[in-house]
């Protein structure tokens, strides 16, 4: 079965790559666009048919989620604050690390929940990030109430993902990693950006060409399952 859902996630690196969004949407025709490290005071309400569903307001650099208005009806959005790392307490870069939207397909009537996620930075422990991911999934399960769910974003989890995958499978979520590294800076590279899903069949997660950000955008190709 051909994938019928295209989701792009992009960490803009402190809003540096904001000028690339129009070309990105034009090149990859996504249904949903999730951004991290964007300045909500300097983002468009619409990008080539993608409408802004919501963005974080209390963060200096936060999250934003766009959806294709010709395909989906927006049923609602939710913002969640997750447990803070020491970096968060000292630098105060982020308060809300999870932004979710419930969407209804205008053609099929199917509903899905799409979430934009940004985990604590590498200065925090994998244990804390794993707790953030678990808490995010709990919030999404409550919000989704059984409909297919996908969470994409910057997980800041380049190592020990086998353990994370096994842990997530116990809770019903699948982990999907990119084909190539998504982060490169100062001679270091790794897969930081990926997706977790429930009730979806994943055809692939592609690393798109790098722009001004130290993260590459990723493109998730998926098919919504009949039922979670």
């Amino acid at each position: 079965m051909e994938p019928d859902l295209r989701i792009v996630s992009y960490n803009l690196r402190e809003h540096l790559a904001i000028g690339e969004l129009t070309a990105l949407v034009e090149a990859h025709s996504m249904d949903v666009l999730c951004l991290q490290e964007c300045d909500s005071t300097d983002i468009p309400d619409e990008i080539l048919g993608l409408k802004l569903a919501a963005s974080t307001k209390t963060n200096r650099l936060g999250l934003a989620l766009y959806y294709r208005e010709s395909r989906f009806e927006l049923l609602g959005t939710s913002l969640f604050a997750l447990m803070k790392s020491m970096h968060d307490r000292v630098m105060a870069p982020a308060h809300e690390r999870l932004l979710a939207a419930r969407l209804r397909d205008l053609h099929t009537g199917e509903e899905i929940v799409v979430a934009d996620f940004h985990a604590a930075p590498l200065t925090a422990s994998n244990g804390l990030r794993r707790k953030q991911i678990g808490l995010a999934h709990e919030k999404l399960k409550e919000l989704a109430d059984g409909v297919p769910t996908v969470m994409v974003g910057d997980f800041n989890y380049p190592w020990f993902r086998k353990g994370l995958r096994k842990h997530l499978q116990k809770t019903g979520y699948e982990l999907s990693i990119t084909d190539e590294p998504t982060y490169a800076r100062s001679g270091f590279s790794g897969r930081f950006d990926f997706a977790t899903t429930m009730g979806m069949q994943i055809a692939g997660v592609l690393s798109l060409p790098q722009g001004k950000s130290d993260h590459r955008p990723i493109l998730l190709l998926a098919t919504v399952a009949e039922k979670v």
Side-chain angles (χ1 to χ4, degrees):
M1 183 181 295
E2 288 293 323
D4 63 356
L5 182 64
R6 298 168 64 88
I7 300 175
V8 166
S9 173
Y10 193 15
N11 182 320
L12 300 184
R13 189 187 176 186
E14 299 187 353
H15 205 61
L16 184 64
I18 184 64
E20 301 171 9
L21 296 185
T22 298
L24 185 68
V25 174
E26 188 172 34
H28 299 288
S29 303
M30 71 285 293
D31 301 295
V32 179
L33 172 64
C34 295
L35 304 177
Q36 303 90 45
E37 292 197 20
C38 66
D39 179 351
S40 62
T41 67
D42 185 37
I43 55 175
D45 292 328
E46 189 268 343
I47 310 171
L48 298 180
L50 294 181
K51 184 176 181 179
L52 179 65
S55 62
T56 53
K57 304 300 183 184
T58 60
N59 301 358
R60 179 177 62 87
L61 293 167
L63 309 172
L65 189 151
Y66 292 81
Y67 68 99
R68 188 160 297 282
E69 198 172 16
S70 62
R71 175 172 181 180
F72 291 110
E73 174 190 2
L74 178 64
L75 301 180
T77 61
S78 299
L79 281 165
F80 300 99
L82 306 177
M83 59 186 62
K84 293 184 178 181
S85 68
M86 183 59 69
H87 179 82
D88 292 335
R89 297 181 190 281
V90 174
M91 303 299 293
H95 173 60
E96 296 150 326
R97 289 191 173 274
L98 179 67
L99 168 60
R102 189 172 180 124
L103 304 171
R104 177 187 289 133
D105 193 303
L106 295 173
H107 305 291
T108 67
E110 294 176 332
E111 295 183 17
I112 60 171
V113 168
V114 182
D116 187 2
F117 174 71
H118 192 183
L122 290 183
T123 50
S125 66
N126 262 6
L128 183 133
R129 279 186 290 275
R130 188 175 297 187
K131 289 178 181 178
Q132 288 181 329
I133 295 167
L135 181 59
H137 285 166
E138 289 177 13
K139 299 292 186 183
L140 293 177
K141 274 189 176 181
E142 294 173 4
L143 180 66
D145 193 26
V147 306
T149 303
V150 54
M151 184 170 82
V152 298
D154 179 4
F155 285 69
N156 278 315
Y157 213 107
W159 305 290
F160 309 113
R161 287 188 303 271
K162 288 184 179 179
L164 176 63
R165 185 187 301 276
K166 291 180 180 178
H167 175 74
L168 294 181
Q169 287 174 341
K170 293 177 183 178
T171 66
Y173 280 88
E174 293 292 334
L175 179 64
S176 296
I177 306 296
T178 52
D179 56 335
E180 296 177 355
T182 67
Y183 177 89
R185 190 176 183 183
S186 302
F188 171 76
S189 66
R191 289 170 172 82
F192 282 57
D193 309 83
F194 41 85
T196 59
T197 56
M198 179 181 286
M200 293 189 181
Q201 298 173 357
I202 306 304
V205 189
L206 309 178
S207 298
L208 301 179
Q210 188 154 10
K212 292 183 177 180
S213 175
D214 48 4
H215 289 256
R216 293 168 65 176
I218 65 170
L219 170 62
L220 173 76
L221 305 172
T223 300
V224 178
E226 291 292 329
K227 195 72 176 177
V228 176

